[in-house]
Amino acid sequence: MKTLPLKRTGPNDMVKVDCADGEVSVYSRCAYCANCEGVIVGKRLIPMPQKQKAEKMRYGMAADDDLLNAQMMFNTLIRDGSAIACKDDANKGFRDLYSI
């Protein structure tokens, strides 16, 4: 697993990381990537909330609004975090979280 430091740019809080696909937005790519394991906040790795809720949705144990709330929580973690934990050691790039 690799650590991708967050790059905060611009006045509108654009946050990017260096991915195998190049420099990508955390909010539009990492938030929907199956390789994302979570956000590093301080010294802790906080697991990706969307991944946990998506698993529960497959088995009918979570509602659609639970997934939306998880995505909002991810945005909060990015605001407080310093890096993304990524399990893409083969450098293949983005894999859609909801197609696996």
Side-chain angles (χ1 to χ4, degrees):
M1 185 171 337
K2 58 187 175 180
T3 303
L4 306 174
L6 299 176
K7 298 179 186 178
R8 300 177 190 282
T9 60
N12 58 355
D13 294 329
M14 180 65 101
V15 182
K16 295 184 177 187
V17 293
D18 287 325
C19 179
D21 297 337
E23 189 175 74
V24 297
S25 170
V26 172
Y27 297 116
S28 64
R29 295 297 277 187
C30 293
Y32 305 102
C33 183
N35 292 322
C36 182
E37 287 297 310
V39 180
I40 298 173
V41 180
K43 294 182 180 180
R44 297 181 58 210
L45 172 64
I46 310 295
M48 185 177 179
Q50 298 95 302
K51 195 175 278 189
Q52 295 171 339
K53 294 300 179 183
E55 283 296 318
K56 287 184 178 182
M57 284 185 73
R58 284 195 181 106
Y59 301 109
M61 298 169 46
D64 293 343
D65 56 336
D66 289 341
L67 185 59
L68 179 63
N69 289 335
Q71 290 170 336
M72 299 279 284
M73 180 57 144
F74 180 80
N75 290 346
T76 302
L77 292 173
I78 293 299
R79 182 195 66 203
D80 298 336
S82 60
I84 294 284
C86 181
K87 68 177 182 181
D88 183 25
D89 292 328
N91 278 333
K92 293 189 177 183
F94 179 79
R95 269 185 42 226
D96 189 17
L97 174 64
Y98 303 114
S99 68
I100 55 172

